[in-house]
Amino acid sequence: MKGLWTIGRPALAKGMLAAVLAAGSLILPAETGHAQSGDTIRVALFADIGSKYKLTVPVVTLQSGQAWSLSAKDSGASLITVPAGSRARASLDGYRVKVLETSSWQTAATAAKKLSATDDKPLLFLNSKGGANVYQLYTGTYASESAAKNAATRVAKAGLGLPADQTPAVKGGKHLTAGSYATQAEADTARLSLAAAGVDAWTAVVPDAGGGTRYEVWVAEAANDADLAAAKTVLSQVLPQVTLGTAGAGLMLRTDAGLDFSAETQVAHYAVSGGTPVMAAGTAGIQLAERSKRTYRGSLELGASNGSLSVINVVPLEQYLYSVVGGEVSSSWPAEALKAQAVAARSYALAQGNRFDIANVVDTTLSQVYNGTGTEAASITAAVDATSGELLMNGGSVVEAVFSSNSGGKTADPSEVWNSGGSVFASVDSPGDTSAVSSKMWYYVQLSSGSAGYVREDNVKLTGDKNAASLPLLTATTKDVNVRVMPVVESGKDPVGKLNPGDTAVVLDKVSESGSYSWIKGPFTSADILKSLQGKTTASSLPSSIVTLEVTQRGPSGRAMMVKANGTPLTVKYPDLYRSAFGGLPSTLFDIVPAGSYTVLGADGRTSTVSGQTSVLSASGVVTGGGSGTVVMNSRSEGRVIGTGSGFMFIGKGNGHGLGMSQWGVKGMADEGYDYKAILQHYFQNVTITKE
């Protein structure tokens, strides 16, 4: 099929288990070969591709700064030209439910508002019938006729206050032709003549065999062949002077009255009918309102996938990379870092083949971040152009060059991510990851109440005094300084407490702001963890409560390979799943610290876990300690406050799966003067960089 990539050399990572590009998102193994670098790439923005990807909308709203067109994909025939600045909507002419027909826009809009809050999304059209305007409210589209029938039942019970003589009915994309015309004006005149007789009729533009277009008048909107035949019988009696035929592929031209249900706004609406996609394209790009008003280069293919509207951006690969590189890393990074990202992103993209059936990639971290022209920048464009066509190769195959945000100082071994190895991926040092460390520092403090949390250093000052344990004291420099649960501003979480000038707190530690390089998550209760673990482990059952939680096996880079709860393994399909299993941790390079207990190293070298009260030998003799609010110190004079309950803190480094290239590590190496080829060959083993 023109525009789809053809099978070429096999991708390196074929058959591997899923790897992860970013926290919580899965990278699937490439299923076919790669394309040549000069080809276009197909990016799914909306589509229903079964288990591989599903993100759908019933209608899209398109706009461009210059005039743009809709054309037939197969013939290339131009069907519609949309003026500059004008909005137009498009949908799939599929299974739907006709809910209501009324002469009152307000009546239709009120019902539509109610439906907007349900799974049955409304579409509102203006039409002419019997010499007057009517508003026709639909829901859909639906993947099948049976799904539409179920929807009709739901809508009938939705409390819309429908007239007694109107019942929600299933409609579909099968139509009859009632005449063919050379111009739209002629077709519109014929349509209005039929409408005056009380017949639903629409003008449609269709491609003809010679590569041009013609206009037809369509009647009936049947869901199946039997309904279409029945409609033909009835309409033949109503319109004996009209020869009725079966409609093929084309665009139904409708007037949309549902852009805003608060005030009537009318825009052109084009329903893609007959199974042949249409292409929306313009020299200024096309803005897609339903995708955060992003503007896309190339063209938008509007078609069908599993009964839903699909929107595929067909764009030259190098222009795709202008957006991808800008979406993945900052345009302010050094040029060599941007070049390394460009080569890695190009290699990854070309290794995908037709992974998503009707598309090569999707626009989320399931593939690579792609936000249209909004993330383009001159520095990014220069990096992509400077490396045009360059690919990472290994043994004649394009490397599926996976990458993550930050490896925490050491990249992952394949065994730590997907349980298998390969000659391209290995654990290597990544000291440049520290380039992500924030300049903001936080004090870990204990308040007079006994509770503990974090305050940012620019809101407090050391008093110069110390407590009896020789720990420094600090106070606030401004009113109502929040003491946070974690060393980062989390506006959605209540602070542990507040600190005001004159109040003092004990300094237990000083840490970097929790971010891409180092982080702290928690505390998580036993109930929190058990809820997160549901469906994530291979175990048939989980314990009723978690008393102990510890990493018992680590891989070559130190990442968690096995975690045990109460001494029993929490086995997952592959190690990187521990991230999602524990509520979306940034990486698996972590330690687990019990919030309500601590570990004591005895003189004999043995360790023991202490929780609750215990006997402590002090200068004044044996005393009882270790309860909530007690501070314990390690050999580095770092303190920790013992809390109540059996919660757990996760303290770790890195962000992402850690396999392959570390983006912050790349920046760090570029800062030190390494060029992009040296950087890539550090993170990927046994590779060459070639230009196609």
Side-chain angles (χ1 to χ4, degrees):
M1 182 181 297
K2 185 177 180 181
L4 285 176
W5 292 352
T6 55
I7 296 176
R9 290 186 291 246
L12 176 69
K14 183 178 179 181
M16 291 183 177
L17 290 175
V20 184
L21 261 184
S25 61
L26 299 179
I27 290 297
L28 305 174
E31 296 176 349
T32 64
H34 74 279
Q36 302 303 307
S37 60
D39 286 350
T40 57
I41 187 170
R42 296 173 58 84
V43 188
L45 307 179
F46 292 108
D48 181 353
I49 316 175
S51 61
K52 293 182 178 181
Y53 183 78
K54 185 173 183 178
L55 182 64
T56 61
V57 288
V59 60
V60 290
T61 308
L62 310 175
Q63 190 174 8
S64 181
Q66 296 183 15
W68 55 283
S69 65
L70 286 165
S71 60
K73 179 185 178 182
D74 288 347
S75 66
S78 179
L79 303 174
I80 292 291
T81 298
V82 181
S86 296
R87 287 179 293 183
R89 307 191 88 192
S91 64
L92 183 66
D93 182 26
Y95 297 107
R96 53 195 179 273
V97 173
K98 188 173 183 180
V99 180
L100 172 67
E101 185 170 288
T102 176
S103 60
S104 167
W105 178 86
Q106 190 59 58
T107 298
T110 299
K113 284 182 181 179
K114 291 182 180 179
L115 289 169
S116 294
T118 72
D119 291 334
D120 299 297
K121 300 306 179 185
L123 289 171
L124 180 58
F125 299 108
L126 170 65
N127 207 348
S128 176
K129 200 170 183 180
N133 286 338
V134 294
Y135 296 93
Q136 297 173 325
L137 178 64
Y138 295 81
T139 62
T141 56
Y142 302 98
S144 64
E145 185 179 357
S146 62
K149 288 180 179 178
N150 292 335
T153 301
R154 290 193 302 270
V155 170
K157 299 177 180 178
L160 303 180
L162 300 178
D165 61 341
Q166 294 192 42
T167 302
V170 175
K171 302 294 181 180
K174 292 180 178 293
H175 309 285
L176 298 169
T177 60
S180 179
Y181 305 89
T183 67
Q184 182 177 346
E186 292 174 316
D188 286 343
T189 299
R191 173 179 60 82
L192 291 173
S193 175
L194 296 181
V199 175
D200 279 323
W202 305 271
T203 298
V205 56
V206 300
D208 62 27
T213 57
R214 68 181 188 278
Y215 295 87
E216 294 180 346
V217 175
W218 288 358
V219 293
E221 46 182 346
N224 54 58
D225 290 338
D227 286 350
L228 188 66
K232 187 174 184 179
T233 298
V234 172
L235 289 169
S236 295
Q237 296 172 353
V238 175
L239 307 170
Q241 75 281 13
V242 176
T243 300
L244 299 175
T246 301
L251 279 180
M252 288 181 69
L253 311 184
R254 310 191 75 158
T255 299
D256 196 306
L259 193 63
D260 181 354
F261 294 130
S262 298
E264 184 175 0
T265 303
Q266 297 175 11
V267 297
H269 188 116
Y270 306 109
V272 182
S273 186
T276 300
V278 300
M279 311 298 290
T283 56
I286 303 294
Q287 183 193 84
L288 180 56
E290 287 72 21
R291 212 72 177 109
S292 303
K293 294 185 177 180
R294 295 169 184 155
T295 297
Y296 297 93
R297 292 175 178 266
S299 58
L300 299 181
E301 178 186 299
L302 310 177
S305 58
N306 289 326
S308 297
L309 175 68
S310 64
V311 183
I312 309 296
N313 186 199
V314 184
V315 59
L317 174 64
E318 299 299 306
Q319 294 180 11
Y320 162 77
L321 294 174
Y322 293 163
S323 174
V324 166
V325 176
E328 289 286 354
V329 297
S330 171
S331 61
S332 66
W333 281 12
E336 297 304 305
L338 301 181
K339 290 176 186 177
Q341 181 66 56
V343 175
R346 184 183 294 111
S347 301
Y348 177 83
L350 288 177
Q352 302 313 296
N354 297 327
R355 168 169 291 169
F356 293 95
D357 301 337
I358 62 173
N360 310 117
V361 294
V362 297
D363 69 339
T364 69
T365 53
L366 192 61
S367 294
Q368 299 182 107
V369 175
Y370 176 63
N371 295 327
T373 60
T375 50
E376 294 182 8
S379 59
I380 300 292
T381 300
V384 173
D385 290 347
T387 62
S388 178
E390 291 187 6
L391 300 170
L392 284 169
M393 304 291 293
N394 172 271
S397 296
V398 178
V399 173
E400 189 176 29
V402 296
F403 48 85
S404 62
S405 175
N406 194 303
S407 69
K410 193 160 187 146
T411 66
D413 184 83
S415 63
E416 297 172 306
V417 179
W418 55 33
N419 279 329
S420 62
S423 62
V424 169
F425 302 103
S427 178
V428 299
D429 290 335
S430 184
D433 287 328
T434 57
S435 62
V437 175
S438 171
S439 60
K440 295 184 177 68
M441 298 295 291
W442 293 67
Y443 287 107
Y444 177 47
V445 300
Q446 183 181 37
L447 304 178
S448 58
S449 64
S451 58
Y454 296 85
V455 291
R456 207 168 69 189
E457 65 174 349
D458 56 352
N459 293 320
V460 295
K461 66 177 180 179
L462 296 173
T463 65
D465 298 326
K466 295 184 178 181
N467 70 358
S470 295
L471 294 172
L473 303 177
L474 59 69
T475 189
T477 57
T478 187
K479 187 179 179 182
D480 290 333
V481 173
N482 287 319
V483 182
R484 302 284 183 181
V485 177
M486 293 296 144
V488 65
V489 175
E490 295 178 297
S491 57
K493 291 188 178 181
D494 293 333
V496 172
K498 291 184 180 292
L499 197 62
N500 286 291
D503 299 337
T504 58
V506 179
V507 178
L508 303 176
D509 199 3
K510 190 176 184 181
V511 301
S512 298
E513 183 165 279
S514 189
S516 185
Y517 178 69
S518 60
W519 48 268
I520 303 173
K521 299 292 182 183
F524 300 115
T525 66
S526 170
D528 292 334
I529 292 173
L530 287 170
K531 181 179 180 181
S532 179
L533 287 171
Q534 291 292 331
K536 306 286 179 55
T537 73
T538 59
S540 57
S541 62
L542 294 170
S544 58
S545 66
I546 296 177
V547 178
T548 64
L549 191 68
E550 59 183 336
V551 179
T552 59
Q553 181 184 343
R554 296 185 183 275
S557 75
R559 284 168 169 76
M561 298 279 285
M562 177 60 69
V563 178
K564 289 185 178 180
N566 305 339
T568 300
L570 295 172
T571 307
V572 291
K573 289 183 179 179
Y574 49 92
D576 195 63
L577 278 180
Y578 279 125
R579 287 198 289 155
S580 60
F582 292 119
L585 298 178
S587 81
T588 57
L589 189 59
F590 59 74
D591 292 314
I592 304 173
V593 178
S597 64
Y598 56 96
T599 301
V600 176
L601 176 64
D604 59 357
R606 296 181 180 180
T607 60
S608 59
T609 299
V610 178
S611 58
Q613 301 289 340
T614 189
S615 296
V616 179
L617 179 61
S618 71
S620 59
V622 177
V623 296
T624 300
S628 177
T630 297
V631 176
V632 296
M633 306 292 294
N634 64 17
S635 61
R636 298 184 299 277
S637 297
E638 298 164 341
R640 181 166 68 86
V641 175
I642 303 303
T644 59
S646 56
F648 300 91
M649 305 285 290
F650 289 79
I651 302 175
K653 292 182 179 180
N655 186 10
H657 55 73
L659 190 70
M661 192 178 77
S662 173
Q663 292 168 312
W664 279 99
V666 167
K667 179 187 181 297
M669 290 186 71
D671 286 338
E672 293 180 6
Y674 289 93
D675 70 22
Y676 74 99
K677 292 185 178 180
I679 293 171
L680 290 167
Q681 289 175 327
H682 171 74
Y683 284 106
F684 299 102
Q685 313 303 301
N686 306 308
V687 298
T688 58
I689 300 173
T690 62
K691 185 179 180 71
E692 287 202 349

